Amino acid sequence: MLRRHILSLATLACALGAVPAHAQTSAPAAGAYPAKPIRLIVLFPPGGGTDILARLVAAKLTEANKWTVVADNKPGAGGTIGITEAVKAAPTGYDIVMGQKDNLVIGPWLYKNLPWDPTKDLTAVAHVAYTPVVIATSVNSKYKSLADVVAAAKAAPGTVTYGSPGNGTSIHLAGDLFEKAAGIKLSHVPYKGSNPALMDALAGNVELLVSSLPSAMGQIKAGKLRPLAVTSAKRSSSLPDVPTVAESGFKGFDVSTWYGVLAPAGTPPAVVNTLNAEVNKLLATADMKAAIQAQGAEPQAMSPEQFSTLLKNEYVQWKGIVEASGARIE
């Protein structure tokens, strides 16, 4: 899914700077929106899951409405640099951001002293999609099921290795939660992004890959990667034959990553509602559904209020999960 570039706290603080108040910023005239191009900030480099989804939304909004929506990549520090740029932007609806669970509800508990609170400094506009995490292994691996992994880990605690896109990501924490649910000890190998972890899993340098489904889907389709389970509550429509972790004996297990469009706090409700309505129209079309599902994700429309509730609830929930894991990025 998503490449994460970890910066030191000093570099991060320098790069992010202070967040100014929005009180002096004027809103667009009623009925005039959008009267100029809209910038959609993308938190990771080109080619990853977030970038693909953001560009899909930008292209479809442009095509359907004759708007001009331009994707603008602002990667770094697990997406927190791009979030900061969005927070600092004028709340007019012309600077929006494609955020995701990792940088909105997990990152704030990993990085010290971020200059924003996602529940106060951003406005939830439109939920776009969610995707399960997949636990997979090389097609040449001895592991044919999740039960095989659990048995091996119980027989020799700490010897079964798994790669993830990095410490403190939702994917790493999904692996940590699986260890706790199964009562086993695995050996976590963090990478700087999804692709290096994937390559090492294919080469057999790590025995398991814990990954977003979009990042792994190409190699699964190519028959080089064997999916053992997905972490969502129900099976993925992209991999209907792959069981969930819950179905594999761990009742109630449910971890997924979500993506959505947000705007700076103070963005006029009329603008938020316009964007929400147009994104939701796109998500209801057959071609948009197919395009999102082809990436291993599931389209899911919400009202701004529903998306805001999801953001606030998970922000509180993941504080405890991050603290329990001991993950921290300095």
Side-chain angles (χ1 to χ4, degrees):
M1 156 172 75
L2 312 167
R3 299 184 183 112
R4 294 170 175 82
H5 299 273
I6 309 284
L7 303 180
S8 69
L9 180 59
T11 303
L12 180 66
C14 179
L16 300 186
V19 180
H22 297 304
Q24 303 300 317
T25 310
S26 59
Y33 182 84
K36 63 180 183 179
I38 300 168
R39 180 175 68 135
L40 177 57
I41 299 170
V42 185
L43 307 178
F44 296 96
T50 301
D51 179 73
I52 292 169
L53 191 59
R55 290 179 183 278
L56 181 61
V57 169
K60 292 294 185 181
L61 282 175
T62 297
E63 177 185 323
N65 301 300
K66 303 195 183 307
W67 295 358
T68 301
V69 184
V70 181
D72 184 17
N73 296 86
K74 296 292 180 181
T80 58
I81 285 177
I83 293 289
T84 301
E85 183 154 338
V87 167
K88 294 170 67 176
T92 58
Y94 291 105
D95 293 280
I96 56 179
V97 62
M98 178 67 77
Q100 56 151 177
K101 184 174 185 171
D102 277 16
N103 35 68
L104 291 169
V105 304
I106 296 176
W109 306 119
L110 290 171
Y111 293 90
K112 289 184 178 179
N113 303 320
L114 284 179
W116 45 261
D117 178 329
T119 67
K120 297 176 181 177
D121 298 313
L122 291 168
T123 297
V125 173
H127 187 275
V128 174
Y130 72 92
T131 176
V133 173
V134 63
I135 302 174
T137 190
S138 166
V139 71
N140 299 316
S141 167
K142 63 183 179 182
Y143 302 123
K144 310 298 182 187
S145 68
L146 205 59
D148 292 342
V149 173
V150 172
K154 287 187 173 179
T159 61
V160 179
T161 57
Y162 77 92
S164 85
N167 277 319
T169 61
S170 61
I171 294 169
H172 163 217
L173 296 176
D176 186 72
L177 289 171
F178 171 63
E179 289 183 66
K180 290 180 170 65
I184 59 175
K185 178 61 179 175
L186 303 175
S187 180
H188 175 227
V189 182
Y191 290 82
K192 292 182 178 180
S194 298
N195 199 56
L198 173 63
M199 292 299 102
D200 262 12
L202 292 173
N205 296 326
V206 287
E207 295 174 274
L208 301 172
L209 173 71
V210 181
S211 171
S212 72
L213 195 47
S215 295
M217 184 60 76
Q219 296 300 329
I220 291 173
K221 287 181 177 178
K224 296 180 180 181
L225 200 62
R226 178 187 299 131
L228 302 177
V230 294
T231 63
S232 48
K234 62 181 182 179
R235 294 192 182 197
S236 167
S237 62
S238 303
L239 295 175
D241 296 328
V242 177
T244 65
V245 171
E247 289 175 321
S248 303
F250 307 100
K251 188 175 180 180
F253 195 92
D254 180 15
V255 179
S256 59
T257 293
W258 46 257
Y259 307 83
V261 176
L262 301 99
T267 299
V271 170
V272 171
N273 291 334
T274 295
L275 285 167
N276 178 268
E278 295 305 323
V279 172
N280 286 354
K281 283 181 189 177
L282 291 180
L283 296 179
T285 64
D287 62 335
M288 188 66 164
K289 288 180 180 178
I292 291 174
Q293 289 171 340
Q295 299 301 320
E298 303 288 342
Q300 186 180 50
M302 292 183 183
S303 68
E305 294 76 18
Q306 289 171 325
F307 186 23
S308 178
T309 297
L310 173 70
L311 174 64
K312 290 175 181 177
N313 287 347
E314 293 217 350
Y315 183 65
V316 173
Q317 175 191 356
W318 280 85
K319 177 183 180 182
I321 295 172
V322 171
E323 289 177 348
S325 74
R328 173 67 67 180
I329 298 173
E330 301 294 343

